[in-house]
Every structure is written in structure tokens, then in C-alpha cells.
Amino acid sequence: MPVTQVLTSPGDVRAWSDGVRCDGERVALVATMGALHVGHDSLVSLANEHADRVLVSIFVNPLQFDRDTDFDAYLRPIDDDVARCERLGVDAVYAPTASAMYPAGFETTVTPGALADSMEGAARPGHFAGVTTVVTKLFAAVRPDVAVFGEKDFQQLAVIRRMTADLDLGVEIVAAPTVRESDGLALSSRNQRLSDEQRFAAVSVPRALDAAVVAARAGERSSGPITAAAMAVLERTPLARPEYMTVFDPETCQPLDAVAAGARIATAVWFGDVRLIDNRAL
Ligand code: PAF
């Protein structure tokens, strides 16, 4: 089995990446917070299609959590994650400590624009500034040719694309389709924290989005009845506590009153203290 190098400092990552590029090879970054699952496997396999070498970063980024309890509860099975990367043939893992990423005196952050104001940005103040800051630091350390992000975090993908263009970061951003369980639940590290009962109830999330798609395909153009059709599914599910259900423009991530070309619907739903997000094209 190929050996996956485990790097822990920005300097080591830069040296690794410089070496790869000196050999004339392209580097792909798959940025993760660990607790890797089949969804991440698909990001790695897409990364392999776009580059000669793949680096997976594993860092639970404190800056993007709006609640300490969520940050503390986030799973950190680092040995399993490295073993999984090894099985996948990943060339290097970058797993910095919090103090390597944010040394004493750290105070510079990257502030996203209006794309980050709605949905996840509105529900989790400061979340996207945490994401853009850490992704900028990862891009600066790894200097990848290409980086792969999942469409499950659709707004994150849009914010990162915009930031990469606005700041001339020179990284090609590739979108990976959402990977789902057989019942439709989008794969997420957070699924592992659901009780059996909550996991059973969580299927209401993709079913709610299905109901929205059915309404749109039946000719409904107005966002109100489309979101109402989706919310009705969640309201029938006692364990589900929806936070938002929004029809939005994929370019601006702003809510739409009526479905236009390319419109999507996104939701965040709580099951106990686990918050799941998902989205679909309408
Ligand atoms: O999507 C994630 O796992 C995180 O938001 C990311 C992009 C790794 C930044 O911490």
C-alpha cells in the first residue's frame, strides 16, 4: 500500500507541494474537517481525475463554529482518517494543530461578501468568515492547482469560488456532487452523531426537498407553495426542527420569490443537537 505522508506545519506542506510542482505534477487539495466517510472518498477520487497528487487536509476549524458545544462534539478520529487516506492512495495528509494554524498573535481574517449573508451565513454568524480564512490559509500553504468542494455545502462552494476569483488565488475550484445514503440522506460527518431514532427521522430532509422538486415540476413557480410543500414533510416528523427552507439563486445565494432557471432549495434541520443541511436543484 502506498505510504501517505502526514504533515503538520505550513512549512512542511509548502515544501511537499513545491517538490511535487518541481516534478511538473499538479496538486489537488481536498479540504476536510476529518471524520471521513464515503462522501469524502468521492472528493478524493474527483481530485485524482484533476491532478497527479492529492493532499487531504484534516482540521476542525474553531473559527467557523458558532457554538462551542458543536465544536467540542465534532468527531476527531484522526488515526482512522489517516488509515482511510492511505487506503485511498492519498499522497499526503495535512493535519495541523490549532496552534500551528492559529499561532499566538493571529488576528488577520478574510471577510466574505453578500454571498455569505443568507441561509447558513444568517443562521451561523461568522461561520463563513471562518471558512474563508481557513481555506485561504490552506491555499497559501498547499498552493494547489485545483481544490475540490462538495455541493452539499452549496453556499460554501459559492463563497469559496467567489473568494478565489476576487483574490486572484489561482486555484481551480471543482464541485463534487452530493453523495447520498440509499434512503437519500446526504452523507455528512454529523450523521454519525444521530441516535437510531434521529437517523430514522433524518430521511425527512431529502424527502422534504423531493416534495419541493415535485411541486416545481408540477408547474408551481412561486417559492411560497414550494417551501410549504417541503416544510409539510418536516412538520409531520416530530423529531425534526427546521431552521430554514429557502428557494435561492445559485449565483447570488439570495432568496427568490419565484423559481428562475437554475434555482435551488436549501434547508437546515435540527435533530436533537445535530444540525443537518442539504440542498437540491429545483
Ligand atoms: O466543508 C468543510 O469540511 C469545511 O468547511 C472546510 C471547507 C474544510 C473548511 O474548514
Side-chain angles (χ1 to χ4, degrees):
M1 202 186 296
V3 176
T4 302
Q5 283 193 54
V6 179
L7 309 162
T8 54
S9 75
D12 288 350
V13 169
R14 200 166 294 131
W16 176 85
S17 178
D18 284 350
V20 171
R21 266 191 313 274
C22 266
D23 292 341
E25 295 186 319
R26 275 166 63 85
V27 176
L29 167 68
V30 177
T32 81
M33 297 205 297
L36 303 180
H37 49 67
V38 175
H40 294 109
D41 297 356
S42 80
L43 302 186
V44 168
S45 96
L46 197 53
N48 268 313
E49 287 174 26
H50 284 81
D52 307 291
R53 302 276 169 183
V54 175
L55 179 145
V56 172
S57 65
I58 298 176
F59 180 64
V60 184
N61 175 30
L63 280 196
Q64 70 186 76
F65 284 81
D66 52 327
R67 290 172 306 117
D68 288 348
T69 46
D70 191 24
F71 176 69
D72 293 341
Y74 209 90
L75 300 173
R76 293 162 170 86
I78 184 69
D79 293 342
D80 291 352
D81 286 346
V82 172
R84 187 174 198 114
C85 285
E86 210 134 69
R87 280 198 302 278
L88 292 172
V90 167
D91 297 283
V93 165
Y94 176 34
T97 59
S99 57
M101 186 60 93
Y102 301 120
F106 174 88
E107 63 174 22
T108 305
T109 56
V110 178
T111 307
L115 265 175
D117 288 347
S118 58
M119 302 186 289
E120 286 302 284
R124 305 178 65 189
H127 167 68
F128 281 124
V131 170
T132 47
T133 299
V134 80
V135 170
T136 302
K137 286 178 64 80
L138 290 170
F139 283 3
V142 180
R143 283 182 279 173
D145 298 281
V146 52
V148 181
F149 294 91
E151 282 185 338
K152 184 178 81 65
D153 297 287
F154 192 91
Q155 191 176 11
Q156 166 174 283
L157 175 63
V159 167
I160 290 172
R161 264 193 208 292
R162 182 78 263 158
M163 172 189 82
T164 305
D166 288 351
L167 302 184
D168 302 321
L169 298 181
V171 179
E172 182 193 346
I173 305 297
V174 172
T178 303
V179 181
R180 297 179 181 279
E181 301 276 9
S182 55
D183 64 1
L185 182 67
L187 293 192
S188 162
S189 307
R190 289 191 162 87
N191 296 354
Q192 297 169 48
R193 288 172 43 211
L194 296 168
S195 68
D196 290 349
E197 231 185 340
Q198 289 165 341
R199 171 64 188 84
F200 188 71
V203 73
S204 59
V205 177
R207 298 238 167 103
L209 299 183
D210 287 345
V213 172
V214 167
R217 288 205 184 136
E220 184 57 64
R221 296 289 91 187
S222 206
S223 299
I226 291 173
T227 52
M231 288 295 284
V233 175
L234 296 174
E235 278 152 15
R236 285 198 299 271
T237 309
L239 291 184
R241 283 183 294 119
E243 189 166 349
Y244 64 80
M245 180 70 72
T246 308
V247 175
F248 69 100
D249 179 328
E251 300 298 325
T252 63
C253 290
Q254 289 306 306
L256 289 171
D257 291 335
V259 175
R264 300 183 78 88
I265 185 162
T267 190
V269 186
W270 290 89
F271 296 87
D273 64 354
V274 182
R275 183 176 184 275
L276 303 182
I277 60 171
D278 200 355
N279 72 93
R280 289 275 300 272
L282 281 172

